[in-house]
Amino acid sequence: MSSRPTTQRDLANHTGLSLMTVSRILREDIEKFDPRTVERVRRAAKELRYDLRVPGMAATSSPQSESRSAPSASGAHRSSSTGFAT
């Protein structure tokens, strides 16, 4: 048995369903799906020990910047009403 966590892609491969279908069902967006399909994904998730608490790769693959704006090198002050340097 693999030591890595089970992914949604693993569930899709196991069930023969698309990754998008598996993702939607796991998010409980199930209105459009046959109840047998929903049960198939849920059963596979249980069998493969899929953990809903493990974030997807997309959520952890790109670094987040701490701030979108850099301090001004010129030391200019920002106007509180316009947002432009004064």
Side-chain angles (χ1 to χ4, degrees):
M1 184 153 204
S2 176
S3 62
R4 71 174 178 81
T6 300
T7 64
Q8 289 184 10
R9 186 172 307 279
D10 295 330
L11 294 176
N13 290 336
H14 184 78
T15 60
L17 298 169
S18 74
L19 182 58
M20 183 59 71
T21 297
V22 169
S23 176
R24 286 180 177 162
I25 290 173
L26 292 173
R27 287 192 325 254
E28 296 295 324
D29 182 16
I30 59 175
E31 301 82 37
K32 297 179 182 180
F33 299 103
D34 184 297
R36 293 173 293 190
T37 303
V38 173
E39 181 57 31
R40 197 161 111 199
V41 171
R42 289 177 176 165
R43 190 177 326 112
K46 188 175 182 178
E47 287 174 12
L48 298 177
R49 295 187 174 110
Y50 178 76
D51 187 351
L52 288 171
R53 297 172 297 169
V54 175
M57 293 303 289
T60 60
S61 63
S62 61
Q64 297 285 330
S65 66
E66 290 184 21
S67 172
R68 288 181 173 243
S69 62
S72 172
S74 67
H77 298 283
R78 290 199 170 263
S79 166
S80 60
S81 62
T82 64
F84 293 107
T86 56

